[in-house]
Amino acid sequence: MTPQQAPGRRWLHIAAPAIVSVVTYLVLQFAVSRAVGRPATFWSADAYRLSLDALVLLQLGPIMFSGVIVWPVMRARGATRLGAAIGVLATPIAFGIVSALGAMAFFAPAEAVYYGTNPIALGAVGSQVAMSGLGALIAARYRHRRTPSRRSWWSWPAFAAFIIGEIVLVACVIWDGGQHVFYVWIQVYRTLFPA
């Protein structure tokens, strides 16, 4: 904490990386929602498609990859491991909430809430866990290079987080388009909400 920093605002200083990630996602989501179905607002159909594709791809940054920055920066600013973990998961949770809110146009509230746990949202959680592990390893390596010590910079827990997160991402989104996890997810849906 710097001398001029008010004690009550320390949490804001620590949480800023997570807040920036969530706000970036929400701004991009707002831009996507404003653009979808409005090709006439663009100068050409190609510009519309390109802009929409770019916005959707840009959303992947905060949804799936911001943990590589959020974790080490929050830890460097004094966040506890739990606080940094909450910061890393804030954006995928926001993605799940936005997904659930969007699903309320089609589903009953309980079903919409369940929709917020869809395999893409779960894959985003896995990706963020992996990225936080990677970010922790990169930050540790950087610190070790700046001030070499006898301690190794390697962290098995960070490496394990990276591997586990990647497994979740691959299972939920990449392996056969996530259909194996989706099948389980839809079976749970049918159990919870019988027709």
Side-chain angles (χ1 to χ4, degrees):
M1 185 167 67
T2 59
Q4 69 272 17
Q5 189 178 15
R9 294 197 181 187
R10 186 170 189 272
W11 72 269
L12 186 59
H13 173 73
I14 292 171
I19 294 167
V20 167
S21 179
V22 171
V23 168
T24 301
Y25 160 65
L26 292 173
V27 166
L28 290 167
Q29 176 59 35
F30 178 76
V32 167
S33 69
R34 297 291 297 157
V36 168
R38 295 188 176 102
T41 60
F42 291 81
W43 54 94
S44 72
D46 287 338
Y48 169 72
R49 282 191 297 273
L50 183 64
S51 299
L52 205 53
D53 290 347
L55 286 170
V56 170
L57 284 174
L58 284 172
Q59 281 185 315
L60 292 178
I63 293 171
M64 296 204 163
F65 304 113
S66 65
V68 76
I69 296 168
V70 171
W71 177 272
V73 173
M74 285 186 70
R75 292 288 289 149
R77 291 177 171 211
T80 63
R81 283 184 178 89
L82 176 61
I86 291 168
V88 165
L89 296 178
T91 307
I93 289 170
F95 172 71
I97 291 169
V98 168
S99 296
L101 291 172
M104 284 191 174
F106 308 103
F107 300 113
E111 291 173 278
V113 168
Y114 182 74
Y115 183 78
T117 67
N118 68 69
I120 296 172
L122 297 177
V125 168
S127 180
Q128 290 288 28
V129 168
M131 292 300 101
S132 65
L134 181 62
L137 288 171
I138 292 169
R141 180 68 179 149
Y142 177 75
R143 281 192 307 273
H144 182 72
R145 280 185 151 181
R146 290 190 67 202
T147 56
S149 65
R150 300 172 120 203
R151 278 183 358 159
S152 171
W153 64 272
W154 186 256
S155 169
W156 285 106
F159 182 71
F162 176 76
I163 295 299
I164 292 167
E166 285 298 313
I167 289 169
V168 171
L169 173 64
V170 167
C172 291
V173 179
I174 299 171
W175 178 35
D176 287 340
Q179 67 183 350
H180 305 289
V181 172
F182 179 77
Y183 178 76
V184 173
W185 182 79
I186 204 70
Q187 291 305 319
V188 171
Y189 171 82
R190 288 178 179 157
T191 303
L192 292 173
F193 309 104

